[in-house]
Structure formats: C-alpha cells, structure tokens
C-alpha cells in the first residue's frame, strides 16, 4: 500500500460513478440508476455501489441496525470485500421475484449518503455499467493498470531448477498491488507446469487460470497463472505466464 492509500483507509469516502449502473438477480432488475455513487467503507480498498433508494425496483424491508464495535484488519482481502460493513448503518432485505435477499442492501448513517443504499455485490447475479458486464467488483476510477514491455532479464526458479528464463517480459503495474512480471510461454518450461482447477476473477484483467509447478517430485500449488481471454486492460498480457514471487524465486536483472 502506498502512503496516500494508507492514510485514506480509515475514512468513509465516496465519488460519483458518472455512468449508468444496473444490478440484476434471478432475471430481475433490482436497481437501475444514472446517479450511483462509489463508496469506500473504512479500512477497505475495494469500493461498493450505492444507488439512490428511489431507483430500487424492489422493496427494502426488515431493517437491522449495524454498529461495528471495532475495525477489521487494516484492509480486507478482495474475497472478503462485501462480507461485512465497517461503518454504522442499517441492513435491509430485498424482496425479489426469486425470494428475499437478506441484508443485501445497506443504508449508511452518514448524512451525505442518507438517500442511498449500498447493494451487496455477491447477492446480485449480474452487474452492468452502461452496456458492459462487470465482474469481481465495481471499477475504481482511482485504480489503473500499466502493462510495460521490458528487456530486463527475468529468471524464475525453484532451487536448482529453472522454470522460466526471459528477456522479453511485460511488467504489469496495478494500483495497490505488487509489480508482476508476465513472461512469453516460449520462455517458460511448460513441461514443469500442470493445470490447476483454481480460477480467480479480476475486475480489470478478467478470469485467470492457474498452474502448479512440479519440481523433483514436489508440487508447488498454484505457482503461476495466465489470462487466456483477458478484458481490455489485460490485453497486453494475453496468454503470458506470471509466477508468484512468494512461492518460487523470481529474479529480475
């Protein structure tokens, strides 16, 4: 985390989304708004969408007050981003055609957001910005990805076994995350890698497929990943392979 983001994590922040936002569940539009806001609850990096209550197309019912007594860890993992609220407010059940969605909406006590309700991302089957389906979490206007071609020498190894050796990497820089080196498949010893069932989703790069590495009979689980069909921002690293530098040795010249 950089100094600016660290200083902001403890505060409640919001910004105008400036795009049409729709949330759908069980084939039904739950909310449709051109006045949505992005809300960062305290101690969170990932934002949520807050929609004017007047723009919900289903009833909000069964209010339940929430008063966090202590903040969570300094920042939440993306998988936990919508699991709890870190600011006082009221949770609501959404009455949908597919059944009630308990605690799927949340109104904050903050007066600037008095007429808005955050929608639980995971409770929705689909999110759409304008006409584009969005995955993982809302797009953050203060986060970006840079993919930079490089001639630096990158060697990936486990002990005395080299897994990759490349002078044609791409350096991917993403706000809040460590630098990552993506390598052409031709520079990777693919015979040392085997497909893993693990899959993750990034709001900016798309769906990642993983590989485990086998070295001297030992399997290093999910040592590397690739984006076979990346979203727009991840286009430059399509089908290139990146290794976790905390699971194998990644040396950059």
């Amino acid at each position: 985390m950089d100094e600016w983001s660290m200083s902001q994590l403890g505060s409640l922040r919001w910004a105008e989304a400036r795009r049409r936002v729709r949330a759908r569940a069980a084939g039904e539009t739950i909310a449709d708004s051109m006045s949505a806001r992005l809300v960062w609850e305290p101690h969170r990096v990932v934002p949520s969408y807050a929609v004017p209550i007047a723009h919900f197309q289903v009833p909000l019912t069964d209010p339940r007050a929430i008063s966090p007594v202590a903040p969570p860890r300094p920042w939440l993992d993306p998988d936990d981003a919508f699991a709890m609220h870190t600011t006082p407010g009221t949770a609501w059940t959404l009455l949908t055609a597919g059944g009630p969605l308990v605690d799927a909406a949340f109104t904050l006590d903050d007066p600037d957001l008095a007429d808005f309700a955050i929608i639980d991302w995971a409770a929705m089957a689909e999110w759409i910005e304008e006409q584009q389906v969005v995955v993982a979490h809302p797009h953050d206007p203060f986060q970006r990805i840079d993919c930079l071609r490089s001639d630096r020498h990158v060697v990936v190894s486990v002990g005395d076994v080299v897994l990759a050796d490349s002078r044609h990497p791409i350096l991917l820089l993403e706000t809040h995350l460590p630098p990552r080196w993506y390598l052409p498949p031709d520079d990777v010893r693919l015979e040392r890698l085997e497909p893993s069932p693990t899959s993750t989703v990034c709001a900016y790069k798309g769906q990642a497929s993983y590989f485990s590495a086998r070295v001297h009979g030992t399997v290093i689980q999910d040592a590397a990943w690739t984006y076979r069909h990346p979203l727009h921002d991840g286009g430059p690293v399509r089908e290139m392979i990146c290794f976790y530098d905390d699971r194998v040795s990644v040396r950059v010249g």
Side-chain angles (χ1 to χ4, degrees), residues 19 46-47 78 82 121 129 132-140 143 145 174 177 200-208 227 230-234:
R19 66 201 72 182
V46 176
F82 305 99
W121 183 274
E129 294 179 350
Q132 180 175 322
V133 174
V134 184
V135 297
H137 58 76
H139 289 151
D140 187 333
Q143 180 160 327
I145 289 175
E174 184 172 355
L177 296 178
T200 60
V201 179
C202 170
Y204 309 100
K205 300 187 292 295
Q207 183 173 2
Y227 290 94
L231 299 176
H232 177 270
D233 287 356

Side-chain angles (χ1 to χ4, degrees), residues 146-173:
D146 287 314
C147 296
L148 306 175
R149 297 192 180 278
S150 174
D151 60 359
R152 293 168 72 177
H153 189 196
V154 178
V155 178
V156 180
S157 59
V158 176
D160 61 348
V161 175
V162 174
L163 298 178
D165 188 327
S166 181
R167 295 183 182 272
H168 306 283
I170 289 182
L171 171 60
L172 190 149
L173 300 170

Side-chain angles (χ1 to χ4, degrees), residues 70-89:
R73 53 194 180 278
W75 53 83
L76 296 178
D77 297 332
D79 289 345
D80 297 333
F82 305 99
M84 60 184 297
H85 292 285
T86 60
T87 190

Side-chain angles (χ1 to χ4, degrees), residues 31-90:
D32 185 342
S33 179
M34 290 186 287
S35 304
R37 292 179 178 178
L38 290 159
V39 177
W40 292 262
E41 294 187 43
H43 308 284
R44 283 188 176 168
V45 173
V46 176
S48 301
Y49 268 130
V51 174
I53 295 172
H55 295 175
F56 278 77
Q57 298 186 16
V58 299
L60 282 66
T61 187
D62 298 334
R64 182 175 66 87
I66 294 179
S67 300
V69 295
R73 53 194 180 278
W75 53 83
L76 296 178
D77 297 332
D79 289 345
D80 297 333
F82 305 99
M84 60 184 297
H85 292 285
T86 60
T87 190
T90 302

Side-chain angles (χ1 to χ4, degrees), residues 21 26-27 66 99 102 108 120 132 139 147 152 180 208 217 219 223:
V21 173
I66 294 179
V102 178
L108 300 89
D120 181 353
Q132 180 175 322
H139 289 151
C147 296
R152 293 168 72 177
R180 298 296 190 189
V219 175

